[in-house]
Amino acid sequence: MATTERDNEQPCLPGGLIPLDQWSMPDVSVHKTLRAGFKDILEQLRSGLTPESEAFESLDDLPSLPAKKLKRYAPEPDASALASAILEQLEALRQQGVHNRQVSFIVAPPFSGVPDALLTLPARVIEPPDNLLMSEQDADRWWDEQLSDDDWVLPELANFWLRHRSGLHLLKSFFARVAMDGAGRGIVACSSWCWQFWVRYWPEIHVGPLTLAPLDSERLTDWLDFLARGGNGRSMTARMTNDGHYVLPPKTDESKEKYSCFTQDLANAARGNRGVAHAIWQRALRAKPEENADQDEDGASKTAECWVVPFDQLSLPGVPQGSGQQAGIVLHAIMLHSSLTIASLERVTGIAGAELKLLLSRFLRADLIVQDENTQAYRPTALGYPSVRKYLQARGFSVDGF
């Protein structure tokens, strides 16, 4: 059998790293447009409006997978394995002459896993200062102390600035040093939302950004199968709860079974975002199929280790109805900075603390955001992210390109 490009890919980083300008959305499934249920989900995401009380809700009464089985069949990705794959990719790109920067700049959408991966590398971690409001001179001095000759990583650049007249100098100084190859040897992860703001604010930025290849249907299927196989190397069987069509293991040329287009729909709904796709996948798994589901053509009873509920039986979190302009301002600020405390939100939005608390409480109840127990900062959820992005885009806010 001939070796394909996919056969040589890192299973934990399908498609590898690519130049940022080569990223594109996964293809849309023809079947998707014909499926009324999934169409409803898209309409929900398009409008971004759901009743205030509606967070994530399963529209079926099938039992969810027990936590132990969910951990077995849809485990969280291994951050250290992703870090090793990133290093191998960077080295390969250097050998190909595609990447020749001393500082590797990886722009990725939220929930990519890149920040957590960088934290596992044996390199010094550069953390943001407590005070992000600095003069130009203070920012230069701060970076002089941080950037030396050793190897370093910066897990999330979005944490190093505030959208405030005094909160931009740290990143201005940093971008200038990276562009001039004057920042030593390091790897930077930058949220796609932070990046989108800065390339519009400062178009002169030239740092040779890379990004993760988008997960199309085939790569997403392979990646979910890779996660499920874990340490034992055995593929999982996953079938649709309504018609028994297969989702996993991946389809091969020898496969005779009927396959669902679920992963194609999932890849498109998540816009190729691995973290969002993984979160929806976890919520879609069930312990058993519907009682009246179709039987196999040979009449044999259905067998699978877990079952997958159709998209039309899932309801993702949505932005509450009646949310005004301030809701968009707050959600946009959180996206730009990845996470913000109430104090920082007051500073960058100009909205008073009492009003912010009312808005944040609605977003928390809707499962759009969570509050970090350690930092007390608010950040988006993977399941709520598609709705937030649609909501902001529909209201004219600048959104990321992913």
Side-chain angles (χ1 to χ4, degrees):
M1 180 181 297
T3 301
T4 66
E5 184 178 343
R6 283 175 58 200
D7 294 332
N8 297 322
E9 292 183 351
Q10 287 273 0
C12 64
L13 184 56
L17 295 175
I18 59 174
L20 180 61
D21 58 7
Q22 292 183 12
W23 189 93
S24 62
M25 269 278 290
D27 292 336
V28 179
S29 152
V30 174
H31 298 286
K32 175 182 69 64
T33 60
L34 301 176
R35 297 175 61 201
F38 186 61
K39 206 172 165 186
D40 290 340
I41 294 290
L42 286 180
E43 289 300 323
Q44 174 184 312
L45 298 179
R46 187 174 295 115
S47 65
L49 296 176
T50 61
E52 181 173 357
S53 61
E54 186 175 344
F56 170 80
E57 180 183 5
S58 296
L59 303 181
D60 64 284
D61 54 3
L62 298 174
S64 298
L65 277 184
K68 186 176 180 180
K69 286 192 173 181
L70 189 63
K71 188 176 180 181
R72 157 72 180 84
Y73 297 136
E76 295 298 325
D78 184 340
S80 60
L82 178 59
S84 298
I86 289 174
L87 290 183
E88 288 186 23
Q89 274 288 298
L90 291 175
E91 180 57 30
L93 293 174
R94 285 194 177 93
Q95 292 180 2
Q96 298 165 15
V98 177
H99 178 59
N100 56 8
R101 300 271 183 165
Q102 291 191 39
V103 173
S104 300
F105 210 97
I106 302 174
V107 176
F111 316 106
S112 68
V114 176
D116 289 338
L118 295 189
L119 287 172
T120 70
L121 292 175
R124 181 168 57 87
V125 177
I126 298 180
E127 297 179 344
D130 293 334
N131 178 21
L132 297 174
L133 306 181
M134 292 187 185
S135 67
E136 187 175 346
Q137 295 74 21
D138 288 343
D140 285 338
R141 279 193 289 271
W142 192 84
W143 285 117
D144 286 340
E145 297 170 358
Q146 302 298 319
L147 301 174
S148 54
D149 292 334
D150 61 343
D151 293 332
W152 53 264
V153 295
L154 197 158
E156 181 50 83
L157 196 63
N159 296 329
F160 284 71
W161 73 293
L162 285 177
R163 192 175 182 181
H164 183 276
R165 63 181 181 277
S166 301
L168 306 176
H169 294 305
L170 264 179
L171 285 204
K172 280 186 172 182
S173 176
F174 181 72
F175 280 127
R177 290 165 188 250
V178 173
M180 297 292 290
D181 273 340
R185 298 184 308 275
I187 305 177
V188 180
C190 178
S191 154
S192 53
W193 288 75
C194 171
W195 176 255
Q196 181 65 20
F197 172 89
W198 277 90
V199 293
R200 291 179 58 137
Y201 174 75
W202 218 17
E204 296 82 5
I205 294 175
H206 294 289
V207 294
L210 302 169
T211 190
L212 280 61
L215 291 186
D216 58 16
S217 175
E218 289 185 345
R219 284 175 175 150
L220 178 58
T221 303
D222 289 346
W223 185 60
L224 295 175
D225 180 60
F226 165 75
L227 293 178
R229 281 188 282 118
N232 62 28
R234 187 171 63 86
S235 288
M236 172 181 78
T237 300
R239 304 174 67 175
M240 300 301 294
T241 57
N242 58 339
D243 57 18
H245 289 183
Y246 280 74
V247 181
L248 293 179
K251 187 177 183 180
T252 67
D253 293 339
E254 291 74 34
S255 297
K256 297 180 181 177
E257 298 83 5
K258 289 184 178 178
Y259 267 77
S260 165
C261 60
F262 180 88
T263 53
Q264 192 166 7
D265 294 342
L266 179 58
N268 187 260
R271 298 177 61 85
N273 183 321
R274 55 196 281 144
V276 172
H278 184 257
I280 297 174
W281 173 246
Q282 286 186 318
R283 293 301 183 102
L285 296 182
R286 295 290 183 273
K288 68 177 187 178
E290 297 174 3
E291 293 293 339
N292 58 350
D294 296 338
Q295 295 294 308
D296 292 345
E297 289 182 348
D298 60 3
S301 60
K302 293 176 180 295
T303 57
E305 289 162 292
C306 64
W307 301 86
V308 184
V309 69
F311 264 104
D312 61 350
Q313 295 181 29
L314 286 174
S315 171
L316 300 181
V319 179
Q321 287 182 349
S323 299
Q325 181 68 10
Q326 287 189 337
I329 293 172
V330 171
L331 290 171
H332 192 241
I334 292 175
M335 297 311 306
L336 287 180
H337 298 86
S338 290
S339 65
L340 284 174
T341 62
I342 282 191
S344 294
L345 272 169
E346 280 192 75
R347 189 168 290 119
V348 300
T349 64
I351 300 174
E355 295 173 73
L356 281 173
K357 289 177 181 175
L358 290 178
L359 287 168
L360 292 170
S361 68
R362 298 185 75 190
F363 299 154
L364 285 168
R365 285 198 301 273
D367 285 347
L368 295 175
I369 61 172
V370 293
Q371 186 176 24
D372 188 286
E373 292 182 358
N374 296 321
T375 66
Q376 300 300 302
Y378 296 91
R379 53 183 167 79
T381 65
L383 287 174
Y385 175 68
S387 289
V388 171
R389 190 181 185 284
K390 284 283 184 182
Y391 178 86
L392 294 175
Q393 186 174 34
R395 283 150 185 80
F397 289 90
S398 175
V399 298
D400 73 341
F402 290 80

